[in-house]
Every structure is written in C-alpha cells, then in structure tokens.
Coordinates of all heavy atoms in Angstrom, one line a residue:
Q28 N -24.5 -14.6 28.5 CA -23.8 -13.5 27.9 C -23.2 -13.9 26.5 O -23.0 -15.1 26.3 CB -22.7 -13.1 28.8 CG -23.0 -12.3 30.2 CD -21.8 -11.8 30.8 OE1 -20.7 -12.3 30.8 NE2 -22.0 -10.7 31.6
R29 N -23.0 -12.8 25.8 CA -22.4 -13.2 24.4 C -21.1 -13.6 24.6 O -20.3 -13.1 25.4 CB -22.5 -11.9 23.6 CG -22.2 -12.1 22.1 CD -22.5 -10.9 21.3 NE -23.9 -10.5 21.4 CZ -24.4 -9.6 20.6 NH1 -23.7 -8.8 19.7 NH2 -25.8 -9.3 20.7
E30 N -20.5 -14.6 23.8 CA -19.3 -15.2 24.0 C -18.5 -15.4 22.6 O -19.2 -15.6 21.6 CB -19.3 -16.5 24.7 CG -20.1 -17.6 24.1 CD -20.2 -18.9 24.9 OE1 -19.6 -18.9 26.0 OE2 -20.9 -19.8 24.5
L31 N -17.3 -15.2 22.6 CA -16.5 -15.3 21.5 C -16.4 -16.8 21.1 O -16.1 -17.7 21.8 CB -15.1 -14.8 21.7 CG -14.1 -15.0 20.5 CD1 -14.5 -14.1 19.3 CD2 -12.7 -14.5 21.0
V32 N -16.6 -17.1 19.8 CA -16.6 -18.4 19.3 C -15.2 -18.6 18.5 O -14.5 -19.6 18.7 CB -17.7 -18.7 18.4 CG1 -17.6 -20.1 17.7 CG2 -19.0 -18.7 19.1
A33 N -15.0 -17.8 17.6 CA -13.8 -17.9 16.7 C -13.4 -16.5 16.1 O -14.3 -15.7 15.9 CB -14.0 -18.9 15.6
Q34 N -12.2 -16.3 15.9 CA -11.7 -15.0 15.4 C -10.6 -15.1 14.4 O -9.8 -16.2 14.5 CB -11.2 -14.0 16.5 CG -10.1 -14.5 17.3 CD -9.7 -13.4 18.3 OE1 -10.3 -12.4 18.5 NE2 -8.6 -13.7 19.1
I35 N -10.5 -14.3 13.4 CA -9.5 -14.4 12.4 C -9.0 -12.9 12.2 O -9.8 -12.0 12.0 CB -9.9 -15.0 11.1 CG1 -8.8 -15.1 10.1 CG2 -11.1 -14.3 10.6 CD1 -9.2 -16.1 8.9
T36 N -7.7 -12.7 12.3 CA -7.1 -11.4 12.1 C -6.8 -11.0 10.7 O -6.8 -11.9 9.9 CB -5.9 -11.2 13.0 OG1 -4.8 -12.0 12.5 CG2 -6.1 -11.6 14.5
K37 N -6.5 -9.8 10.5 CA -6.0 -9.4 9.1 C -4.8 -10.2 8.7 O -4.7 -10.4 7.4 CB -5.7 -7.8 9.3 CG -5.4 -7.3 7.9 CD -5.3 -5.7 8.1 CE -4.3 -5.2 9.1 NZ -4.2 -3.8 9.1
D38 N -4.0 -10.5 9.6 CA -2.7 -11.3 9.4 C -3.0 -12.8 9.1 O -2.1 -13.5 8.9 CB -1.7 -11.1 10.3 CG -1.3 -9.6 10.4 OD1 -1.3 -8.9 9.4 OD2 -0.9 -9.2 11.6
G39 N -4.3 -13.2 9.4 CA -4.6 -14.6 9.2 C -4.5 -15.4 10.5 O -4.7 -16.6 10.4
N40 N -4.2 -14.8 11.6 CA -4.1 -15.5 12.9 C -5.5 -15.9 13.2 O -6.4 -15.1 13.4 CB -3.4 -14.7 14.0 CG -2.0 -14.4 13.6 OD1 -1.3 -15.4 13.2 ND2 -1.5 -13.2 13.7
I41 N -5.7 -17.2 13.7 CA -6.9 -17.7 14.0 C -7.0 -18.2 15.5 O -5.9 -18.8 15.9 CB -7.3 -18.8 13.1 CG1 -7.6 -18.3 11.7 CG2 -8.6 -19.6 13.6 CD1 -7.9 -19.4 10.7
D42 N -8.0 -17.9 16.2 CA -8.2 -18.5 17.6 C -9.6 -19.0 17.7 O -10.5 -18.4 17.2 CB -7.9 -17.5 18.6 CG -6.5 -17.2 18.8 OD1 -5.7 -18.1 19.0 OD2 -6.1 -15.9 18.7
Y43 N -9.7 -20.1 18.5 CA -11.0 -20.7 18.9 C -11.3 -20.7 20.3 O -10.3 -20.9 21.1 CB -11.1 -22.0 18.2 CG -11.0 -22.2 16.7 CD1 -9.8 -22.5 16.1 CD2 -12.2 -21.9 15.9 CE1 -9.7 -22.6 14.7 CE2 -12.1 -22.0 14.5 CZ -10.9 -22.4 13.9 OH -10.8 -22.4 12.5
A44 N -12.5 -20.7 20.7 CA -12.9 -20.9 22.0 C -12.7 -22.4 22.2 O -12.8 -23.2 21.3 CB -14.4 -20.5 22.4
D45 N -12.3 -22.7 23.5 CA -12.0 -24.1 23.8 C -13.3 -25.0 23.4 O -13.1 -26.1 23.0 CB -11.7 -24.3 25.3 CG -10.3 -23.8 25.6 OD1 -9.5 -23.6 24.6 OD2 -10.0 -23.5 26.7
F46 N -14.5 -24.6 23.7 CA -15.6 -25.4 23.5 C -15.9 -25.7 22.0 O -16.9 -26.5 21.7 CB -16.9 -24.8 24.1 CG -17.2 -23.4 23.8 CD1 -17.7 -23.0 22.7 CD2 -16.8 -22.3 24.7 CE1 -18.0 -21.7 22.3 CE2 -17.1 -21.0 24.4 CZ -17.7 -20.6 23.2
V47 N -15.3 -25.1 21.0 CA -15.5 -25.4 19.6 C -14.2 -26.0 19.0 O -14.3 -26.3 17.9 CB -16.0 -24.2 18.8 CG1 -17.4 -23.7 19.5 CG2 -14.9 -23.1 18.7
K48 N -13.1 -26.0 19.6 CA -11.8 -26.4 19.1 C -12.1 -27.9 18.5 O -12.6 -28.7 19.1 CB -10.6 -26.4 20.0 CG -10.1 -24.9 20.2 CD -9.0 -25.0 21.2 CE -8.4 -23.6 21.3 NZ -7.3 -23.6 22.4
G49 N -11.6 -28.0 17.2 CA -11.8 -29.3 16.6 C -13.0 -29.6 15.9 O -13.3 -30.7 15.3
R50 N -14.0 -28.6 16.2 CA -15.3 -28.9 15.5 C -15.7 -27.8 14.6 O -16.3 -28.0 13.6 CB -16.5 -29.0 16.7 CG -16.3 -30.1 17.6 CD -17.4 -30.2 18.6 NE -17.7 -29.0 19.3 CZ -18.9 -28.4 19.4 NH1 -19.8 -28.7 18.6 NH2 -18.9 -27.3 20.2
F51 N -15.3 -26.6 14.9 CA -15.6 -25.4 14.0 C -14.4 -24.9 13.3 O -13.3 -25.0 13.8 CB -16.2 -24.3 14.9 CG -17.4 -24.4 15.6 CD1 -18.1 -25.7 15.5 CD2 -18.3 -23.5 16.2 CE1 -19.4 -25.9 16.0 CE2 -19.4 -23.6 16.7 CZ -20.0 -24.9 16.7
I52 N -14.6 -24.3 12.1 CA -13.5 -23.8 11.3 C -13.9 -22.4 10.8 O -15.0 -22.3 10.1 CB -13.2 -24.6 10.2 CG1 -12.8 -26.0 10.6 CG2 -12.0 -24.0 9.3 CD1 -12.6 -27.1 9.5
I53 N -13.2 -21.3 11.2 CA -13.4 -20.0 10.6 C -12.6 -19.8 9.4 O -11.4 -20.3 9.3 CB -13.2 -18.9 11.7 CG1 -13.7 -17.6 11.2 CG2 -11.8 -18.9 12.1 CD1 -13.7 -16.6 12.3

C-alpha cells in the first residue's frame, strides 16, 4: 500500500515516518 514518508504543513511543521527518520529531509 501507499505509505506516508514525510509531510510539511503550511506552518512549517514536519513529520517523518519512523522508517526514514534521521535519513530523509523534507
């Protein structure tokens, strides 16, 4: 299934999936 990798909101809040934390930067 399609899964969320990383997201950034209009206010600049950022979240990462656990499997990319520390490796990916949005």
Side-chain angles (χ1 to χ4, degrees):
Q28 289 189 331
R29 192 171 297 189
E30 58 186 359
L31 177 66
V32 175
Q34 62 181 2
I35 182 167
T36 69
K37 182 170 59 175
D38 298 328
N40 295 314
I41 293 174
D42 285 307
Y43 296 99
D45 287 343
F46 51 78
V47 302
K48 281 182 180 177
R50 300 190 297 126
F51 291 11
I52 300 171
I53 189 171

